[in-house]
């Protein structure tokens, strides 16, 4: 969890819940919403327990025992002279669209007692994009909410046009009474009431089940698989961090449709906002895992081939051959009130798709996937040359999308691609790391063309295009005064001169010669870049630097993982070891789980890494980072 968020978070099978310290839900919005969430929608927005007419006291606050289960201990109000008549032991779990709750009430008195339990429940079916919007209102013409008591509990239905979502609540035993909870005419909240008889020092149990039924296919648990292998104790911090990372990737795995209609399981990006397929995130996560779990790469490639662009659509950014940035399944995406149902606003996902396709073949020796996706790969190359901008501009470029993402590389927040005075670059923008990815993609696809597809003419064409790109890159991007690559070129061809971590990705892709690569790699380990925990996104001391900025001074584990792999490629062994040590030390202070992003404060001035306020955790490419570090250390 983040520094500003103390909620209990449970996750399993593409379902997550966020609860308060008593295990309740109040329907909060903003950056730290609570509820039960499935497919970008909140299916439970109120879950408030009272006992004997009062809000219970938490003797033991709700605490996550495992990733999907929390427990707590509650009592009704009492005093020293009149202590509570009974104690409530609470256990809550999530799995595959379901929240289950077990309440065990234990009498503290020798005589029989009747415990009254009230549970107020509601489901607002809010879209995640509604919840995170600060002041944006999304109209919902024709929306209808309905609550129906059933013999065992409640059923909530939400309809709008062809959209239908449902949440059911059942209790065992069935409630003794069900009443509306609000006075407003449009209130859908209801209160369920039980009167449970407890013998002297006896106990009673109440089992509750919440089932979310989002619009579309039923939510299912993935097929059973072998549990993650655990190293017998004692294990070092590196091993524990790798194991925690693999477990988190498992938690974030979601089912999607593959290129031939098959169901495949891919790493979603992160919780709470990104529990869905993301092109860039899923590709880099799969690359980091490739030596250890090559099947993840195969699944990701199949899923992204299935969603590859076919037509031109200005609203979503779709273009023929382009690889999707993200997919969404919520109401607002369904009605195209937001462009993210299938949103293609990424300049780098398409070359990364090609990089991973070749890397999978290289790592496994399996030709089948490269053959199966040959036409998709060729269309991806065509996109880079045409709509991507290589033929027209000489580089992969993007134009800021006012209805979507202003920046379309991995640093996709507004203002992230900036000059040293903090000014955001204007498009078409050619970010440096995307050129490295494009170079690597051309080289690797040429290898597939020659070795797998048997097309030497195509291989030669791609190698020549790669050589031309590499030849002009240094001339256009290198800043002699800073002795460092520019972050980007703006639409006028000016060097965007902020000193940024993106330069480290150029080592991973191999677009730099050895001398320039060594200069970049060593520069990134100087104190203004390297905090002691990790390499910052932007070097300290520049005007736009802010240690709590999303992309202008914070430090991202996955960014450092890519850089570490690049350092290893050029034999910078000491630098690889330094980056790995900092990240592993940071993970050890977070229960061996690397967050999405940490603040940019120096290690010398803090007892531990300072959390970034809005960091996703778990987050897929952060979870896979320790595996990439292990690979880098082996290669260095």
């Amino acid at each position: 969890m983040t520094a500003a968020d103390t909620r209990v978070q449970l996750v399993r099978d593409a379902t997550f819940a966020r609860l308060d310290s008593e295990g309740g839900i109040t329907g909060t919005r903003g950056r730290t919403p609570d509820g039960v969430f499935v497919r970008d929608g909140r299916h439970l927005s109120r879950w408030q327990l009272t006992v004997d007419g009062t809000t219970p006291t938490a003797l033991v606050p709700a605490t996550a025992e495992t990733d999907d289960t929390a427990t707590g201990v509650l009592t009704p109000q009492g005093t020293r002279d009149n202590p509570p008549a009974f104690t409530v032991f609470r256990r809550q779990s999530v799995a595959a669209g379901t929240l289950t709750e077990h309440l065990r009430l234990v009498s503290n008195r020798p005589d029989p007692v009747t415990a009254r339990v009230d549970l107020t429940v509601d489901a607002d079916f809010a879209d995640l994009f509604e919840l995170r919007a600060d002041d944006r209102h999304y109209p919902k013409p024709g929306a209808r909410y309905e609550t129906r008591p059933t013999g065992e509990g409640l059923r909530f239905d939400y309809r709008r046009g062809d959209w239908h979502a449902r949440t059911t609540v059942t209790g065992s035993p069935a409630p003794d009474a069900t009443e509306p909870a609000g006075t407003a005419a449009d209130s859908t909240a209801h209160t369920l009431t039980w009167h449970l008889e407890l013998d002297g020092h006896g106990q009673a149990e109440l089992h509750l089940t919440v089932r979310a039924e989002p619009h579309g296919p039923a939510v299912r648990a993935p097929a059973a698989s072998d549990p993650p292998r655990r190293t017998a104790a004692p294990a070092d911090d590196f091993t524990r961090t790798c194991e925690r990372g693999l477990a988190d990737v498992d938690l974030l795995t979601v089912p999607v449709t593959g290129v031939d209609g098959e169901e495949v399981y891919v790493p979603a990006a992160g919780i709470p906002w990104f529990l869905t397929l993301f092109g860039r995130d899923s590709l880099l996560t799969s690359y980091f895992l490739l030596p250890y779990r090559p099947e993840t790469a195969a699944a990701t490639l199949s899923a992204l081939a299935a969603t590859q662009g076919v037509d031109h659509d200005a609203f979503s950014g779709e273009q023929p051959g382009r690889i999707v940035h993200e997919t969404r399944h919520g109401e607002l995406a369904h009605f195209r009130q937001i462009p993210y149902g299938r949103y293609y606003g990424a300049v780098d996902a398409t070359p990364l798709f090609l990089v991973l396709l070749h890397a999978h073949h290289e790592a496994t020796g399996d030709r089948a996937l490269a053959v199966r996706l040959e036409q998709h790969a060729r269309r991806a190359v065509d996109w880079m040359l045409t709509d991507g901008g290589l033929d027209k501009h000489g580089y992969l470029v993007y134009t800021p999308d006012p209805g979507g993402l202003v920046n379309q590389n991995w640093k996709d927040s507004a203002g992230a691609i900036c000059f040293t005075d903090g000014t955001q670059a204007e498009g078409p923008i050619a970010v440096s790391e995307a050129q490295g990815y494009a170079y690597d993609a051309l080289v690797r696809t040429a290898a597939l063309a020659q070795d797998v597809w048997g097309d030497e003419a195509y291989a030669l064409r791609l190698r020549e295009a790669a050589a031309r790109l590499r030849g002009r890159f240094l001339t256009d991007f290198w800043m002699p005064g800073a002795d460092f690559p520019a972050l980007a070129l703006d639409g006028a061809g000016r060097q965007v001169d902020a000193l940024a971590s993106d330069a480290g990705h150029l080592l991973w892709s191999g677009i730099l010669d050895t001398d320039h690569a060594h200069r970049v790699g060593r520069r990134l380990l100087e104190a203004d870049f390297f905090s002691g925990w990790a390499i910052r996104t932007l070097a300290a001391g520049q005007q736009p630097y802010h240690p709590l900025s999303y992309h202008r001074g914070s430090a991202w584990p996955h960014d450092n993982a890519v850089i570490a792999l690049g350092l290893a490629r050029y034999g910078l062994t000491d630098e690889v070891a330094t980056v790995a040590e900092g990240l592993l030390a940071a993970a050890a202070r977070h229960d061996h789980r690397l967050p999405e992003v940490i603040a940019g404060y120096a290690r010398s001035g803090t007892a531990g890494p300072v959390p970034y306020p809005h960091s996703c955790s778990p987050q897929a490419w952060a979870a896979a980072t320790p595996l990439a570090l292990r690979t880098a250390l082996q290669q260095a």
Side-chain angles (χ1 to χ4, degrees):
M1 308 306 294
T2 68
D5 186 4
T6 59
R7 299 189 188 280
V8 177
Q9 180 169 280
L10 308 177
V11 57
R12 179 70 62 188
D13 304 333
T15 304
F16 70 96
R18 291 161 65 82
L19 313 168
D20 65 24
S21 59
E22 284 80 38
I25 295 167
T26 59
T28 58
R29 304 172 75 90
R31 287 289 175 179
T32 59
D34 59 358
V36 174
F37 300 87
V38 182
R39 283 201 204 128
D40 296 329
R42 180 161 67 182
H43 278 260
L44 192 65
S45 57
R46 193 169 175 189
W47 190 254
Q48 291 178 281
L49 181 73
T50 61
V51 290
D52 282 357
T54 66
T55 300
T57 299
L59 297 183
V60 178
T63 304
E65 277 192 347
T66 62
D67 295 306
D68 57 15
T69 299
T71 59
V73 181
L74 310 171
T75 65
Q77 300 293 332
T79 66
R80 184 179 63 179
D81 296 327
N82 186 25
F86 57 90
T87 301
V88 181
F89 295 85
R90 190 175 204 177
R91 183 179 184 86
Q92 299 165 294
S93 299
V94 297
T98 302
L99 169 72
T100 57
E101 178 157 336
H102 175 212
L103 297 175
R104 183 167 60 92
L105 287 73
V106 178
S107 173
N108 299 324
R109 294 180 177 174
D111 49 318
V113 63
T114 299
R116 174 174 173 164
V117 175
D118 294 296
L119 183 65
T120 301
V121 187
D122 201 3
D124 66 0
F125 300 100
D127 191 287
L128 272 178
F129 282 84
E130 290 179 86
L131 296 178
R132 69 188 294 188
D134 295 327
D135 54 7
R136 178 80 179 270
H137 173 70
Y138 293 93
K140 296 186 174 185
R144 292 180 291 122
Y145 299 84
E146 184 180 21
T147 308
R148 290 185 180 180
T150 65
E152 297 177 315
L154 293 165
R155 188 179 79 192
F156 298 89
D157 285 283
Y158 173 69
R159 291 178 173 87
R160 176 187 169 198
D162 63 346
W163 181 271
H164 180 203
R166 172 177 290 169
T167 299
T168 61
V169 180
T170 58
S172 178
D176 298 312
T178 304
E179 298 291 341
T183 57
D186 59 351
S187 174
T188 56
H190 278 61
T191 298
L192 306 173
T193 300
W194 291 263
H195 297 94
L196 302 176
E197 304 292 336
L198 284 72
D199 294 332
H201 295 299
Q203 65 180 30
E205 295 185 350
L206 175 58
H207 295 268
L208 300 160
T209 303
V210 179
R211 288 190 174 88
E213 300 177 32
H215 183 80
V219 180
R220 306 191 302 280
S225 59
D226 294 333
R229 292 186 294 272
R230 301 292 182 184
T231 302
D236 59 27
D237 284 340
F238 203 164
T239 300
R240 290 174 179 170
T241 305
C242 288
E243 289 180 344
R244 176 71 264 180
L246 290 172
D248 282 347
V249 170
D250 290 340
L251 288 176
L252 293 168
T253 296
V254 297
V256 296
T257 301
V259 68
D260 294 321
E262 77 281 17
E263 188 171 72
V264 295
Y265 294 89
V266 302
I271 294 174
W273 304 115
F274 310 115
L275 193 60
T276 186
L277 173 69
F278 265 67
R280 176 193 309 119
D281 299 54
S282 299
L283 285 162
L284 283 175
T285 299
S286 299
Y287 186 92
F288 293 170
L289 296 176
L290 190 54
Y292 314 96
R293 290 186 174 181
E295 65 276 10
T296 301
T300 296
L301 288 163
S302 179
L304 292 174
T307 55
Q308 188 174 29
V310 175
D311 301 314
H312 286 93
D313 180 6
F315 180 69
S316 68
E318 181 182 2
Q319 294 167 340
R322 196 176 194 181
I323 296 299
V324 74
H325 169 64
E326 68 181 280
T327 61
R328 291 290 181 173
H329 309 282
E331 174 191 1
L332 298 183
H334 177 80
F335 288 105
R336 287 175 67 89
Q337 291 176 275
I338 56 174
Y340 301 111
R342 284 188 183 178
Y343 182 63
Y344 292 82
V347 72
D348 49 7
T350 306
L352 288 172
F353 174 86
L354 295 168
V355 169
L356 184 63
L357 181 63
H358 173 266
H360 178 269
H361 167 65
E362 186 178 48
T364 65
D366 179 13
R367 300 164 53 94
L369 186 65
V371 170
R372 183 185 181 199
L373 300 184
E374 177 184 353
Q375 296 307 313
H376 298 84
R378 289 176 180 265
R379 288 194 288 271
V381 170
D382 288 345
W383 177 84
M384 290 201 303
L385 296 172
T386 57
D387 288 316
L390 277 180
D391 281 348
K392 179 179 179 180
H393 298 278
Y395 296 108
L396 286 186
V397 300
Y398 65 86
T399 300
D401 178 4
L405 295 173
V406 173
N407 289 310
Q408 298 187 2
N409 63 325
W410 84 261
K411 293 180 177 177
D412 58 4
S413 60
I417 307 305
C418 62
F419 292 86
T420 52
D421 65 0
T423 304
Q424 163 70 34
E426 296 183 358
I429 299 170
V431 288
S432 62
E433 79 274 13
Q435 316 318 318
Y437 303 162
Y439 167 77
D440 197 19
L442 291 168
V443 171
R444 287 175 177 271
T445 308
L448 289 177
Q450 179 166 318
D451 300 337
V452 179
W453 306 333
D455 190 340
E456 293 190 6
Y458 188 57
L460 178 61
R461 176 188 167 200
L462 298 187
R463 288 194 186 98
E464 290 175 345
R468 291 193 298 271
L469 175 57
R470 192 177 197 234
R472 62 179 171 265
F473 177 82
L474 203 61
T475 300
D476 293 343
F477 276 81
W478 194 262
M479 300 185 295
D483 197 32
F484 201 73
L487 171 57
L489 302 180
D490 72 0
R494 296 181 302 167
Q495 292 179 335
V496 181
D497 57 354
L499 302 183
S501 63
D502 307 56
H505 293 222
L506 304 174
L507 279 67
W508 177 56
S509 64
I511 197 171
L512 296 178
D513 60 64
T514 300
D515 175 57
H516 286 88
H518 282 188
R519 284 146 70 180
V520 170
R522 290 173 179 140
R523 178 67 182 84
L524 289 170
L525 271 295
E526 292 183 16
D528 57 345
F529 263 119
F530 186 63
S531 72
W533 304 113
I535 296 168
R536 300 178 177 97
T537 47
L538 208 65
Q542 301 177 93
Q543 184 172 328
Y545 170 77
H546 191 306
L548 292 175
S549 169
Y550 201 45
H551 291 125
R552 304 207 313 189
S554 60
W556 290 61
H558 92 276
D559 185 28
N560 280 252
V562 173
I563 294 170
L565 290 167
L567 294 170
R569 177 174 186 155
Y570 286 90
L572 294 170
T573 305
D574 291 344
E575 287 78 2
V576 173
T578 299
V579 172
E581 189 281 328
L583 285 170
L584 292 171
R589 289 162 172 80
H590 284 284
D591 196 25
H592 300 96
R593 171 183 276 170
L594 282 168
E596 174 191 30
V597 54
I598 59 178
Y601 296 107
R603 183 174 179 178
S604 60
T606 60
V610 176
Y612 175 78
H614 309 295
S615 178
C616 288
S617 184
Q619 206 263 3
W621 57 16
T625 285
L627 284 305
L629 295 177
R630 174 159 282 174
T631 300
L633 288 167
Q634 291 169 350
Q635 293 176 347

